[in-house]
Amino acid sequence: MSRLCSPNRPCTLLLLAFLQLAFVLFLYRRSLSGSFASSLYEEDRDGRWDYSKTHDVYTNLSFVTPSPDRETLPECPVESPLLVGPLTISFQKIPVMSKIARKNPYVQAGGRYTPPHCKAQYKTAILVPHRNREPHLRHLLYYLHPFLQRQQLQYAIYVIHQTGNRTFNRAKLLNVGVREALKDEDWDCLFLHDVDLIPENDHNLYVCNEKYPKHVSSAMNKFKYRLPYRMYFGGVSALTPEQYLRINGFPNTYWGWGGEDDDISARFDMVVKVSKSWRSDGMNSIDYNLLQREELPLYTNITVDFGSSPNVRAKVN
Ligand code: BGC
């Protein structure tokens, strides 16, 4: 019998082999997923992306030029030819709003976009709850606009801003966003989007699954590209308006951080414990004071006031 390691035969070779294996496994895992929500879904057809080769998020957009005749536009193809895969993301410099607007000349007031060269097959509204996160918002707009344009979607970005001194209520802001966005357009899909998450791969299409609510940010760098727990539905998720309304949206009573996404996730599986009041607390009971609705160059800003105190935290466990 021989031992793998002994004073005469040190473990160096074994260690090297182990490190090599670990590295290969790491690359393989990395190829399956990307920071926040790359291509874990139907788009990951061949099962691998090379994240060591990333592309500028504005790549290919210069090829998009308006068609002279808007009446006879061809349908945009099911798969956009503009997609590039993994994107280069950097948070070193906070982009200036005017620069983002210059880089996105076809984005119209309110952060709306319709492809100028083909008829979009899909309409997505992006809803971003917000308070005091200006740098995050600027990064998001810098990356999300070109990302969505390369997918050849018709889209609009709504930022729902909570004013006043009451505790932040992400859930209620999203309900407000859905209500306001549906006044504008018959959207095919609603993307509920945290302000601090940036997609890393443009094959992660911002479209809904007609059959099921879709969790989009299933691979986030913060969670080492794994789900933190099986039912996790936070970060970025996508529902059709019909799906959102069928579950009565989010409860309006989640003041403070966390819990609202777990609640909405539990509603898809009623066996799991869920807030009992879901039928009466949600889209059908929302009440808010809309202070302002502005069509800014890069997004529609909806400012709401939920009043002041009490700062109750109502996480359902
Ligand atoms: C919270 C969720 C949150 C998740 C991940 C959970 O404990 O209830 O709202 O998304 O942690 O941070």
Side-chain angles (χ1 to χ4, degrees):
M1 287 220 297
S2 70
R3 296 172 69 121
L4 279 173
C5 307
S6 69
N8 306 338
R9 197 194 297 179
C11 292
T12 321
L13 275 179
L14 189 65
L15 189 67
L16 274 177
F18 174 76
L19 285 177
Q20 207 168 15
L21 182 68
F23 185 55
V24 168
L25 281 175
F26 168 76
L27 285 183
Y28 177 66
R29 254 196 59 69
R30 189 71 187 137
S31 73
L32 288 181
S33 60
S35 170
F36 124 48
S38 67
S39 47
L40 282 179
Y41 299 98
E42 56 275 9
E43 311 317 319
D44 197 13
R45 270 159 300 176
D46 55 3
R48 61 197 55 156
W49 292 106
D50 182 357
Y51 280 89
S52 65
K53 294 195 190 81
T54 57
H55 304 265
D56 187 284
V57 73
Y58 285 86
T59 303
N60 285 341
L61 286 189
S62 56
F63 297 130
V64 175
T65 48
S67 174
D69 184 5
R70 284 211 59 85
E71 298 305 307
T72 57
L73 286 185
E75 292 250 314
C76 300
V78 176
E79 173 158 328
S80 166
L82 305 173
L83 302 182
V84 289
L87 303 168
T88 313
I89 312 278
S90 161
F91 300 122
Q92 272 177 2
K93 252 175 89 183
I94 303 168
V96 180
M97 290 288 193
S98 55
K99 180 184 166 196
I100 307 172
R102 269 202 309 280
K103 286 181 81 72
N104 292 278
Y106 299 118
V107 172
Q108 287 158 359
R112 294 170 201 289
Y113 176 84
T114 305
H117 59 303
C118 61
K119 252 190 245 146
Q121 298 214 17
Y122 212 80
K123 293 186 285 191
T124 295
I126 315 288
L127 309 169
V128 186
H130 180 258
R131 176 152 81 179
N132 299 335
R133 297 286 196 94
E134 183 74 16
H136 285 158
L137 180 60
R138 287 204 244 153
H139 281 302
L140 182 69
L141 294 167
Y142 179 88
Y143 286 105
L144 212 47
H145 274 296
F147 175 91
L148 296 166
Q149 286 164 44
R150 262 214 309 287
Q151 296 188 357
Q152 300 188 331
L153 301 172
Q154 178 183 334
Y155 71 84
I157 299 181
Y158 294 87
V159 175
I160 313 100
H161 178 80
Q162 182 180 335
T163 187
N165 67 358
R166 205 166 184 184
T167 306
F168 191 64
N169 189 332
R170 176 182 186 268
K172 191 166 173 178
L173 287 172
L174 287 168
N175 285 345
V176 171
V178 169
R179 167 92 25 113
E180 293 297 320
L182 290 177
K183 288 180 186 166
D184 290 346
E185 186 70 60
D186 191 12
W187 298 107
D188 296 316
C189 185
L190 306 166
F191 258 67
L192 319 179
H193 212 296
D194 277 1
V195 72
D196 57 355
L197 288 175
I198 310 285
E200 281 195 11
N201 185 322
D202 63 10
H203 282 258
N204 181 5
L205 299 185
Y206 270 34
V207 299
C208 278
N209 182 319
E210 292 303 314
K211 291 197 184 123
Y212 315 101
K214 173 166 124 177
H215 184 225
V216 182
S217 54
S218 57
M220 284 159 60
N221 57 355
K222 152 172 156 179
F223 298 129
K224 301 197 166 58
Y225 301 97
R226 290 190 186 152
L227 283 178
Y229 48 92
R230 199 173 67 84
M231 296 291 286
Y232 178 60
F233 199 69
V236 183
S237 47
L239 289 87
T240 63
E242 204 265 327
Q243 288 164 350
Y244 195 87
L245 296 174
R246 199 168 354 132
I247 56 166
N248 200 19
F250 281 97
N252 296 303
T253 44
Y254 278 98
W255 298 97
W257 184 87
E260 80 295 339
D261 46 356
D262 302 326
D263 188 295
I264 201 175
S265 163
R267 287 177 199 197
F268 312 143
D269 176 5
M270 290 300 185
V271 178
V272 183
K273 188 163 64 171
V274 57
S275 163
K276 296 216 172 38
S277 56
W278 74 272
R279 281 183 201 278
S280 54
D281 178 14
M283 285 299 278
N284 61 3
S285 64
I286 189 167
D287 159 40
Y288 56 95
N289 181 13
L290 179 65
L291 294 185
Q292 199 178 29
R293 213 190 127 108
E294 303 162 273
E295 307 243 306
L296 298 177
L298 292 166
Y299 61 94
T300 297
N301 187 50
I302 295 167
T303 306
V304 275
D305 190 0
F306 296 152
S308 51
S309 65
N311 291 333
V312 209
R313 183 172 163 80
K315 180 169 172 173
V316 173
N317 279 315

